[in-house]
Amino acid sequence: MRLNGTDVAVELLMGRSTATCISSLRATRICGLMFLLLLSAGAAQAATLTLSWNPSPEADVAGYVVNWGNVSGVYVNSLDVGNQVSSQVTGLVNGLPYYFIVRAYNTAGMLSNPSVEVSRRVGIPISVAGDFIGEKKADITVFRPSTGTWYVTGSSNSATVWGGGDDIPVAGDYDGDGKIDIAVFRPSTGTWLIRYSGTPTSAAIVWGGGTDIPVPGDYDGDGITDIAVFRPSTGTWYIRYSATPTSAAIVWGGGSDIPVPADYDGDSKIDIAVFRPSNGTWYIRYTATPTSAALTWGGGNDIPVPGDYDGDGLIDIAVFRPSNGTWHIRYTGTPTSAAIIWGGGSDIPILKH
């Protein structure tokens, strides 16, 4: 997949058609529906997305149909693009989420099963996790609490002193310029210390404190990281929206729950979620709808590691089991699952999404 110049390894599999549905167009492999936001202009806030995919290996493929809509699984729009592997979709509205699938059809006009759904909210700046330089790829970065130094390796090596001691690193794109900003949360004072990458200027914002757990993320889908904390004692999420600024206090989870906020439905908004080790349940509160889900996956001493493991734009539920070094992944789009052994013992899983 290529998204705004960023290469992402991904394979999207179209389901295998039955003999009653289609005679010779078998399982079609679509590799990386790719999205490029080309323009956003006009009084109607119209935008265009370019989609691209790898061709089907079947000999009798005659073309492809792109379907899309504003709700996951509901595709009210259709475009026959002929026998080509890319197409523009025009007339999209900035700020709205769009969900896409592709079907191949053969010379008899029979359609294959749909590809895995992928999504994109148009007109919203997108930053890459860990991209402090602005090259649309993650930089290797460490924070050294003993000296308060951030070491970033990118196009040029840099060392920046920011924070230290018991500060918790909370890097994010707090100004919406597409670059990740260096930032720390200081529990002793409840202060977020942000060093903006573009200017550089800085900000000190008091939000939360004590035993609050920092959970920054783009909760309103404007492309800017919002300051937020999860308070286990009351199960309350306190979110300070960056654009307005307004705030919200939402009760979801509590006690020994582990906060796992992520974009589980692919609408470019972070969803509030917790993992409850006692029963292995993921409780997800979708931001856009709002609806919720309770999914059992993992438990005990498993460590939650949600991420987009198949590159379809949806966060997959996953846990790392230290006792046997296994990553158990439940893919959101399919849904299928995988068990991959990698690491174990006292190893700490590292994931950026």
Side-chain angles (χ1 to χ4, degrees):
M1 180 192 296
R2 191 170 180 79
L3 176 59
N4 287 348
T6 302
D7 292 316
V8 181
V10 54
E11 283 192 343
L12 305 182
L13 299 182
M14 296 188 74
R16 184 173 296 276
S17 304
T18 64
T20 57
C21 171
I22 192 165
S23 58
S24 62
L25 189 58
R26 301 188 300 276
T28 302
R29 183 178 297 270
I30 289 186
C31 201
L33 275 178
M34 114 179 133
F35 300 95
L36 295 171
L37 184 59
L38 297 183
L39 58 90
S40 174
Q45 295 297 300
T48 297
L49 288 179
T50 297
L51 294 82
S52 180
W53 54 93
N54 280 0
S56 166
E58 302 301 326
D60 63 343
V61 169
Y64 302 89
V65 176
V66 178
N67 300 97
W68 72 94
N70 299 117
V71 178
S72 177
V74 180
Y75 314 111
V76 297
N77 303 291
S78 177
L79 178 64
D80 187 336
V81 302
N83 198 4
Q84 57 183 351
V85 292
S86 66
S87 178
Q88 286 189 343
V89 178
T90 62
L92 306 179
V93 179
N94 279 343
L96 293 182
Y98 289 89
Y99 300 84
F100 298 90
I101 61 169
V102 173
R103 293 175 184 260
Y105 61 86
N106 66 6
T107 52
M110 294 181 177
L111 289 168
S112 73
N113 285 349
S115 69
V116 170
E117 179 185 85
V118 292
S119 64
R120 172 71 184 272
R121 182 180 295 272
V122 300
I124 301 298
I126 294 178
S127 57
V128 175
D131 179 18
F132 293 86
I133 307 298
E135 297 177 323
K136 298 301 179 184
K137 62 181 180 180
D139 304 304
I140 297 174
T141 305
V142 297
F143 171 62
R144 187 167 295 168
S146 60
T147 61
T149 305
W150 295 68
Y151 296 94
V152 180
T153 300
S155 58
S156 60
N157 295 340
S158 64
T160 302
V161 177
W162 195 258
D166 296 325
D167 292 344
I168 301 172
V170 287
D173 186 5
Y174 292 94
D175 54 4
D177 67 348
K179 296 180 182 179
I180 299 300
D181 305 307
I182 289 174
V184 297
F185 171 65
R186 187 163 292 168
S188 60
T189 61
T191 305
W192 295 66
L193 302 169
I194 304 170
R195 184 183 185 275
Y196 299 110
S197 57
T199 330
T201 56
S202 62
I205 301 171
V206 177
W207 194 258
T211 58
D212 291 345
I213 301 173
V215 284
D218 184 7
Y219 291 90
D220 54 3
D222 65 352
I224 303 174
T225 300
D226 304 308
I227 289 174
V229 296
F230 171 65
R231 187 164 295 168
S233 60
T234 61
T236 306
W237 297 65
Y238 295 96
I239 304 171
R240 181 185 184 274
Y241 299 110
S242 54
T244 335
T246 56
S247 62
I250 301 170
V251 177
W252 195 258
S256 58
D257 292 345
I258 301 173
V260 285
D263 182 11
Y264 291 95
D265 55 2
D267 66 350
S268 299
K269 293 182 179 180
I270 296 297
D271 304 306
I272 289 175
V274 296
F275 172 66
R276 186 165 295 168
S278 60
N279 59 12
T281 304
W282 298 64
Y283 297 95
I284 304 172
R285 181 186 185 275
Y286 300 108
T287 301
T289 333
T291 56
S292 61
L295 305 172
T296 301
W297 193 257
N301 296 318
D302 292 345
I303 301 172
V305 284
D308 184 6
Y309 291 92
D310 54 3
D312 64 354
L314 302 175
I315 296 299
D316 305 307
I317 288 174
V319 296
F320 171 67
R321 187 162 293 165
S323 61
N324 58 16
T326 304
W327 296 64
H328 294 276
I329 304 170
R330 180 187 185 274
Y331 299 110
T332 301
T334 333
T336 56
S337 62
I340 302 170
I341 297 177
W342 192 258
S346 59
D347 292 344
I348 300 172
I350 303 297
L351 182 68
K352 282 287 186 181
H353 60 73

